[in-house]
Amino acid sequence: MSASHAQHLSAVAREVEDFVSTAGWDQPPQLFALVPTAELIEAQPELVAQVDVGAPLTPVAQDALPSEDLAEALGGIMWPEAVEGCAIAQEIVVLPPEVEETLPAGEDTDDQAVLRQIAAEHPQRREARLVAAVLRDGTAACVLRIRGVDGADEIVEHPELAPNLTDALLATLR
């Protein structure tokens, strides 16, 4: 993975998060195709005023996901070759590390549902929006916006914040 791919993808992940955040909180997951900007403008020149022509990739919002189950929805997606990557924005609940360490490991779907309920009801929970983005070459970027309790939101960026989610996104590109 080249440093330049990682930098461009991080910028796209931040762009997606900024776009989604303009509509506020309590939104369903949103999926984006990442397409080469030059090819997008060539195919649709009327978009030139709406995109950053200097950016190598442009995120293009997709229709709503067909299922409430994110893994199931992603499992049914196959991108055409023209799509260089994809990104998803989803709201999640995060717990402090010391709380997460006390939770049982969730092996199956029923366990996962119980863990989600525990997290949703925990007094130390924080709402967050996670954007995960990947390219066909395996480059990944993640941005996490943790909703501020009494002030500004906290932004965390790291390519390995959500390895299961980036793996699922990569599978849609293969």
Side-chain angles (χ1 to χ4, degrees):
M1 143 181 44
S2 79
S4 125
H5 276 154
Q7 288 174 333
H8 291 308
L9 191 58
S10 290
V12 169
R14 287 189 302 274
E15 180 182 347
V16 166
E17 204 292 316
D18 287 344
F19 172 79
V20 173
S21 72
T22 61
W25 291 91
D26 302 318
Q27 296 183 58
Q30 291 180 271
L31 187 64
F32 296 81
L34 305 181
V35 297
T37 303
E39 291 176 23
L40 178 64
I41 291 171
E42 186 177 317
Q44 298 182 8
E46 69 277 9
L47 295 178
V48 73
Q50 298 174 37
V51 300
D52 177 356
V53 294
L57 294 171
T58 296
V60 179
Q62 302 299 295
D63 291 336
L65 291 169
S67 167
E68 296 257 340
D69 182 338
L70 189 57
E72 181 182 308
L74 291 177
I77 294 172
M78 299 266 313
W79 296 103
E81 286 299 314
V83 173
E84 288 289 317
C86 58
I88 192 161
Q90 84 174 112
E91 292 184 12
I92 62 173
V93 173
V94 293
L95 295 172
E98 61 276 8
V99 173
E100 280 191 25
E101 291 169 7
T102 66
L103 297 177
E107 299 301 322
D108 61 31
T109 307
D110 291 337
D111 291 344
Q112 291 296 319
V114 169
L115 289 174
R116 279 194 294 277
Q117 184 174 352
I118 290 169
E121 295 171 355
H122 198 282
Q124 289 180 282
R125 75 185 178 284
R126 300 273 306 275
E127 294 174 347
R129 181 180 304 110
L130 173 67
V131 174
V134 297
L135 297 177
R136 287 189 185 274
D137 68 3
T139 304
C142 295
V143 175
L144 181 69
R145 176 184 295 269
I146 302 171
R147 191 173 188 172
V149 177
D150 292 323
D153 294 346
E154 178 184 348
I155 304 291
V156 178
E157 287 187 56
H158 194 281
E160 295 175 18
L161 281 176
N164 292 342
L165 185 55
T166 55
D167 287 348
L169 288 173
L170 279 170
T172 69
L173 295 164
R174 296 192 172 117

